[in-house]
Protein backbone atom coordinates (compact mmCIF):
# COMPACT_ATOMS: atom_id res chain seq x y z
CA UNK A 1 0.00 0.00 0.00
CA UNK A 2 1.27 3.49 -0.90
CA UNK A 3 1.61 6.32 1.63
CA UNK A 4 -1.47 8.11 0.20
CA UNK A 5 -3.50 4.92 0.21
CA UNK A 6 -2.56 4.30 3.78
CA UNK A 7 -3.65 7.81 4.79
CA UNK A 8 -7.09 7.40 3.12
CA UNK A 9 -7.55 4.06 4.83
CA UNK A 10 -6.60 5.61 8.19
CA UNK A 11 -9.07 8.50 7.70
CA UNK A 12 -11.92 6.13 6.82
CA UNK A 13 -11.32 4.05 9.93
CA UNK A 14 -11.33 7.20 12.12
CA UNK A 15 -14.59 8.50 10.60
CA UNK A 16 -16.45 5.24 11.12
CA UNK A 17 -15.12 4.89 14.70
CA UNK A 18 -16.15 8.43 15.63
CA UNK A 19 -19.62 7.98 14.19
CA UNK A 20 -20.20 4.79 16.13
CA UNK A 21 -19.11 6.44 19.38
CA UNK A 22 -21.10 9.64 18.83
CA UNK A 23 -24.31 7.78 17.90
CA UNK A 24 -24.03 5.75 21.09
CA UNK A 25 -23.87 8.89 23.25
CA UNK A 26 -26.64 10.51 21.23
CA UNK A 27 -24.75 13.50 19.88
CA UNK A 28 -25.71 14.92 16.56
CA UNK A 29 -22.86 17.40 16.44
CA UNK A 30 -20.53 15.15 14.57
CA UNK A 31 -19.91 16.46 11.11
CA UNK A 32 -18.92 13.12 9.73
CA UNK A 33 -21.91 11.46 11.35
CA UNK A 34 -24.13 13.88 9.44
CA UNK A 35 -22.54 12.76 6.24
CA UNK A 36 -22.94 9.09 7.15
CA UNK A 37 -26.57 9.62 8.20
CA UNK A 38 -27.34 11.30 4.92
CA UNK A 39 -25.80 8.44 3.01
CA UNK A 40 -27.21 5.72 5.32
CA UNK A 41 -30.35 7.05 7.09
CA UNK A 42 -31.58 5.13 10.17
CA UNK A 43 -34.02 2.38 9.22
CA UNK A 44 -37.69 3.25 9.71
CA UNK A 45 -39.71 1.18 12.18
CA UNK A 46 -41.29 -1.63 10.28
CA UNK A 47 -44.28 -2.29 12.73
CA UNK A 48 -47.53 -0.66 11.63
CA UNK A 49 -48.73 2.14 13.97
CA UNK A 50 -52.25 1.38 15.36
CA UNK A 51 -54.94 3.98 14.88
CA UNK A 52 -55.35 6.25 17.92
CA UNK A 53 -58.39 5.41 20.08
CA UNK A 54 -60.71 8.31 20.77
CA UNK A 55 -60.86 9.59 24.35
CA UNK A 56 -64.18 10.02 26.20
CA UNK A 57 -66.69 11.50 23.82
CA UNK A 58 -66.88 15.24 24.24
CA UNK A 59 -70.59 15.26 24.76
CA UNK A 60 -70.81 12.62 27.56
CA UNK A 61 -70.15 13.47 31.21
CA UNK A 62 -68.80 10.80 33.59
CA UNK A 63 -71.45 9.66 36.09
CA UNK A 64 -70.42 9.17 39.71
CA UNK A 65 -72.86 7.03 41.69
CA UNK A 66 -74.25 8.80 44.70
CA UNK A 67 -72.67 12.14 43.84
CA UNK A 68 -74.08 13.20 40.54
CA UNK A 69 -77.63 13.22 39.40
CA UNK A 70 -78.20 10.29 37.05
CA UNK A 71 -78.69 11.21 33.42
CA UNK A 72 -82.28 12.12 32.86
CA UNK A 73 -84.42 9.37 31.36
CA UNK A 74 -86.60 10.20 28.42
CA UNK A 75 -89.75 11.71 29.79
CA UNK A 76 -92.87 9.61 29.56
CA UNK A 77 -96.29 11.03 28.87
CA UNK A 78 -98.05 12.08 32.07
CA UNK A 79 -100.43 9.39 33.35
CA UNK A 80 -104.08 10.13 33.06
CA UNK A 81 -105.61 11.46 36.26
CA UNK A 82 -107.00 8.75 38.47
CA UNK A 83 -110.75 8.55 38.47
CA UNK A 84 -112.99 6.69 40.85
CA UNK A 85 -115.63 4.36 39.56
CA UNK A 86 -118.66 4.91 41.71
CA UNK A 87 -120.80 1.77 41.87
CA UNK A 88 -124.39 2.42 40.84
CA UNK A 89 -125.75 0.86 44.02
CA UNK A 90 -124.78 1.83 47.58
CA UNK A 91 -122.35 -0.47 49.34
CA UNK A 92 -124.24 -3.27 51.10
CA UNK A 93 -121.48 -4.64 53.27
CA UNK A 94 -118.21 -3.57 54.85
CA UNK A 95 -117.09 -6.04 57.44
CA UNK A 96 -114.49 -4.48 59.73
CA UNK A 97 -114.08 -6.30 63.06
CA UNK A 98 -114.01 -3.92 66.03
CA UNK A 99 -115.18 -0.89 64.04
CA UNK A 100 -118.15 1.32 64.90
CA UNK A 101 -119.17 1.68 61.30
CA UNK A 102 -122.13 2.50 59.09
CA UNK A 103 -122.50 2.28 55.35
CA UNK A 104 -122.71 5.69 53.71
CA UNK A 105 -124.44 7.05 50.66
CA UNK A 106 -122.32 7.16 47.49
CA UNK A 107 -119.82 10.00 47.49
CA UNK A 108 -118.95 11.52 44.14
CA UNK A 109 -117.19 14.64 42.91
CA UNK A 110 -119.17 17.33 41.19
CA UNK A 111 -117.91 18.52 37.87
CA UNK A 112 -114.86 20.11 36.29
CA UNK A 113 -111.73 19.74 38.39
CA UNK A 114 -113.76 18.06 41.18
CA UNK A 115 -114.99 15.26 38.92
CA UNK A 116 -112.22 12.88 39.97
CA UNK A 117 -113.18 13.11 43.66
CA UNK A 118 -115.31 10.40 45.22
CA UNK A 119 -115.32 7.20 47.26
CA UNK A 120 -116.00 3.84 45.68
CA UNK A 121 -117.10 2.13 48.92
CA UNK A 122 -117.95 4.87 51.42
CA UNK A 123 -118.52 4.24 55.10
CA UNK A 124 -118.85 6.42 58.16
CA UNK A 125 -116.52 5.34 60.91
CA UNK A 126 -117.45 6.43 64.45
CA UNK A 127 -114.55 4.83 66.25
CA UNK A 128 -113.26 1.45 67.38
CA UNK A 129 -113.95 -0.85 70.29
CA UNK A 130 -111.64 -3.08 72.26
CA UNK A 131 -113.43 -5.19 74.84
CA UNK A 132 -115.82 -2.86 76.61
CA UNK A 133 -113.83 0.31 75.85
CA UNK A 134 -114.57 2.52 72.87
CA UNK A 135 -112.35 5.18 71.32
CA UNK A 136 -114.33 7.58 69.15
CA UNK A 137 -113.80 10.33 66.64
CA UNK A 138 -115.41 13.67 67.61
CA UNK A 139 -117.52 13.31 64.44
CA UNK A 140 -117.82 10.25 62.21
CA UNK A 141 -115.19 10.20 59.48
CA UNK A 142 -116.12 9.37 55.90
CA UNK A 143 -113.66 7.01 54.26
CA UNK A 144 -113.61 4.02 51.93
CA UNK A 145 -114.33 0.58 53.34
CA UNK A 146 -110.79 -0.46 52.42
CA UNK A 147 -109.26 2.46 54.30
CA UNK A 148 -111.54 1.83 57.30
CA UNK A 149 -110.07 -1.68 57.57
CA UNK A 150 -106.47 -0.44 57.66
CA UNK A 151 -107.25 2.41 60.05
CA UNK A 152 -109.23 0.21 62.44
CA UNK A 153 -106.48 -2.40 62.54
CA UNK A 154 -103.85 0.24 63.38
CA UNK A 155 -106.00 1.81 66.09
CA UNK A 156 -107.05 -1.46 67.75
CA UNK A 157 -103.81 -3.40 67.44
CA UNK A 158 -101.21 -0.63 67.82
CA UNK A 159 -102.50 2.70 69.17
CA UNK A 160 -104.86 1.61 71.94
CA UNK A 161 -102.53 -1.06 73.40
CA UNK A 162 -99.58 1.38 73.28
CA UNK A 163 -101.61 3.99 75.18
CA UNK A 164 -102.64 1.45 77.80
CA UNK A 165 -99.04 0.39 78.24
CA UNK A 166 -97.57 3.91 78.43
CA UNK A 167 -100.29 5.66 80.45
CA UNK A 168 -102.40 2.90 82.02
CA UNK A 169 -105.53 4.54 80.67
CA UNK A 170 -107.67 3.69 77.65
CA UNK A 171 -108.05 6.08 74.72
CA UNK A 172 -111.42 7.85 74.60
CA UNK A 173 -111.08 10.38 71.74
CA UNK A 174 -109.24 10.21 68.43
CA UNK A 175 -109.20 13.82 67.26
CA UNK A 176 -109.21 13.85 63.49
CA UNK A 177 -110.30 15.66 60.37
CA UNK A 178 -113.31 14.53 58.36
CA UNK A 179 -111.47 11.96 56.27
CA UNK A 180 -113.02 12.67 52.86
CA UNK A 181 -112.24 16.08 51.37
CA UNK A 182 -112.41 16.87 47.65
CA UNK A 183 -109.15 18.77 47.28
CA UNK A 184 -105.60 18.70 45.93
CA UNK A 185 -102.55 17.80 48.00
CA UNK A 186 -101.68 20.31 50.75
CA UNK A 187 -104.83 22.28 49.84
CA UNK A 188 -103.09 23.71 46.76
CA UNK A 189 -105.33 24.97 43.95
CA UNK A 190 -103.89 22.49 41.47
CA UNK A 191 -101.60 19.48 41.37
CA UNK A 192 -102.23 15.85 42.19
CA UNK A 193 -105.47 14.90 43.86
CA UNK A 194 -105.13 14.27 47.60
CA UNK A 195 -105.89 10.78 48.89
CA UNK A 196 -108.46 12.56 51.07
CA UNK A 197 -110.43 13.14 47.87
CA UNK A 198 -110.72 9.36 47.40
CA UNK A 199 -111.60 8.46 50.98
CA UNK A 200 -108.17 6.88 51.44
CA UNK A 201 -106.72 9.22 54.10
CA UNK A 202 -107.18 10.72 57.52
CA UNK A 203 -105.48 13.39 59.64
CA UNK A 204 -105.10 12.82 63.38
CA UNK A 205 -104.15 15.78 65.58
CA UNK A 206 -104.38 14.53 69.15
CA UNK A 207 -105.57 11.72 71.38
CA UNK A 208 -107.44 12.00 74.65
CA UNK A 209 -107.38 9.39 77.38
CA UNK A 210 -110.10 8.32 79.80
CA UNK A 211 -108.21 10.01 82.64
CA UNK A 212 -108.56 13.36 80.85
CA UNK A 213 -104.98 13.72 79.65
CA UNK A 214 -104.26 14.84 76.12
CA UNK A 215 -101.45 13.79 73.78
CA UNK A 216 -100.96 16.37 71.06
CA UNK A 217 -98.84 15.94 67.97
CA UNK A 218 -98.12 19.67 67.84
CA UNK A 219 -97.12 19.93 71.52
CA UNK A 220 -95.60 16.53 72.29
CA UNK A 221 -93.89 15.35 69.10
CA UNK A 222 -90.15 14.97 69.60
CA UNK A 223 -90.28 15.44 73.39
CA UNK A 224 -88.29 13.09 75.63
CA UNK A 225 -91.41 12.30 77.63
CA UNK A 226 -93.89 9.46 77.85
CA UNK A 227 -96.15 11.33 75.45
CA UNK A 228 -93.31 11.96 73.03
CA UNK A 229 -92.26 8.31 73.09
CA UNK A 230 -95.87 7.19 72.62
CA UNK A 231 -96.25 9.37 69.52
CA UNK A 232 -92.98 8.04 68.10
CA UNK A 233 -94.15 4.48 68.71
CA UNK A 234 -97.49 4.89 66.94
CA UNK A 235 -95.85 6.81 64.08
CA UNK A 236 -93.49 3.85 63.56
CA UNK A 237 -96.32 1.33 63.67
CA UNK A 238 -98.34 3.45 61.22
CA UNK A 239 -95.51 3.12 58.69
CA UNK A 240 -96.03 -0.66 58.74
CA UNK A 241 -99.73 -0.36 57.84
CA UNK A 242 -100.17 2.74 55.66
CA UNK A 243 -98.24 3.69 52.52
CA UNK A 244 -97.94 7.38 53.47
CA UNK A 245 -97.25 8.64 56.99
CA UNK A 246 -96.42 12.33 57.33
CA UNK A 247 -95.82 14.00 60.68
CA UNK A 248 -94.03 17.10 61.97
CA UNK A 249 -90.69 15.83 60.60
CA UNK A 250 -92.10 15.84 57.06
CA UNK A 251 -92.77 19.57 56.62
CA UNK A 252 -94.46 22.52 58.26
CA UNK A 253 -97.84 21.53 56.78
CA UNK A 254 -97.84 18.51 59.09
CA UNK A 255 -96.50 20.09 62.29
CA UNK A 256 -99.85 19.60 64.03
CA UNK A 257 -101.05 16.22 62.80
CA UNK A 258 -100.27 12.83 61.32
CA UNK A 259 -101.48 12.39 57.75
CA UNK A 260 -102.11 8.71 57.02
CA UNK A 261 -103.10 7.28 53.65
CA UNK A 262 -102.96 4.13 51.55
CA UNK A 263 -102.16 5.74 48.20
CA UNK A 264 -100.03 3.98 45.62
CA UNK A 265 -96.33 4.78 45.41
CA UNK A 266 -94.11 3.04 42.88
CA UNK A 267 -95.00 0.59 40.14
CA UNK A 268 -96.01 -2.17 42.57
CA UNK A 269 -97.65 0.24 45.04
CA UNK A 270 -95.39 -1.14 47.76
CA UNK A 271 -93.18 1.91 48.35
CA UNK A 272 -93.82 3.55 51.74
CA UNK A 273 -93.33 7.23 52.55
CA UNK A 274 -92.62 7.41 56.30
CA UNK A 275 -91.68 10.86 57.57
ZN1 LIG B 1 -104.05 14.70 55.30
Amino acid sequence: MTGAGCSIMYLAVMVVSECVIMRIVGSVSCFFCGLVLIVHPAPAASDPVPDAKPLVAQDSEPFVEGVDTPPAKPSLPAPAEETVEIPPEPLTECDVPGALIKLADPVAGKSGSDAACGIAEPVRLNGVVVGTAAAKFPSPVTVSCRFAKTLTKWLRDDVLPAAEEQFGSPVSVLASGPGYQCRRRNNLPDGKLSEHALGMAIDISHIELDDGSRISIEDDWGAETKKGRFLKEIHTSACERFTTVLGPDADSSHRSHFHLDIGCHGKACTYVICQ
Side-chain angles (χ1 to χ4, degrees):
M1 188 177 289
T2 63
C6 187
S7 297
I8 290 168
M9 189 71 179
Y10 175 74
L11 184 62
V13 169
M14 288 301 291
V15 167
V16 171
S17 300
E18 185 188 8
C19 284
V20 169
I21 292 167
M22 295 310 282
R23 289 196 75 179
I24 289 171
V25 300
S27 169
V28 292
S29 63
C30 166
F31 171 74
F32 290 111
C33 271
L35 291 177
V36 172
L37 285 171
I38 289 168
V39 176
H40 299 288
S46 57
D47 292 336
V49 178
D51 292 331
K53 290 182 181 173
L55 298 174
V56 178
Q58 293 297 312
D59 59 351
S60 75
E61 295 286 325
F63 170 61
V64 182
E65 186 81 43
V67 175
D68 293 341
T69 304
K73 293 179 182 173
S75 58
L76 299 171
E81 193 168 69
E82 190 176 359
T83 55
V84 179
E85 287 195 12
I86 307 297
E89 298 296 325
L91 188 66
T92 55
E93 187 181 19
C94 178
D95 184 23
V96 187
L100 301 168
I101 202 168
K102 281 185 180 171
L103 302 181
D105 293 333
V107 177
K110 295 165 193 158
S111 58
S113 61
D114 287 354
C117 296
I119 306 178
E121 299 177 334
V123 296
R124 285 171 73 75
L125 186 62
N126 272 304
V128 298
V129 289
V130 177
T132 56
K136 292 188 175 179
F137 299 107
S139 301
V141 296
T142 305
V143 292
S144 70
C145 176
R146 186 175 143 223
F147 184 78
K149 288 179 181 175
T150 304
L151 178 59
T152 298
K153 198 123 183 68
W154 176 64
L155 291 170
R156 293 184 79 234
D157 293 0
D158 300 339
V159 177
L160 273 56
E164 279 277 1
E165 191 181 318
Q166 285 278 355
F167 310 109
S169 176
V171 173
S172 58
V173 177
L174 302 156
S176 76
Y180 175 76
Q181 287 176 302
C182 182
R183 63 171 173 82
R184 309 276 150 181
R185 285 182 180 176
N186 292 329
N187 289 308
L188 294 172
D190 46 29
K192 204 167 187 306
L193 208 61
S194 167
E195 292 298 325
H196 285 284
L198 305 173
M200 299 288 195
I202 196 168
D203 295 328
I204 293 188
S205 60
H206 70 266
I207 288 169
E208 291 173 20
L209 305 180
D210 259 4
D211 65 9
S213 55
R214 186 176 188 271
I215 304 138
S216 156
I217 284 145
E218 183 156 34
D219 297 337
D220 300 310
W221 177 259
E224 283 299 324
T225 59
K226 266 189 183 183
K227 292 180 180 179
R229 285 190 289 276
F230 166 76
L231 290 177
K232 187 73 188 161
E233 184 179 344
I234 64 171
H235 180 278
T236 301
S237 63
C239 293
E240 291 166 10
R241 298 193 183 273
F242 300 90
T243 54
T244 313
V245 178
L246 302 174
D249 289 352
D251 55 42
S252 59
S253 303
H254 299 89
R255 70 182 182 283
S256 62
H257 65 274
F258 287 164
H259 165 95
L260 313 170
D261 76 48
I262 54 172
C264 173
H265 307 300
K267 281 183 184 170
C269 296
T270 52
Y271 189 79
V272 174
I273 297 173
C274 175
Q275 296 175 343

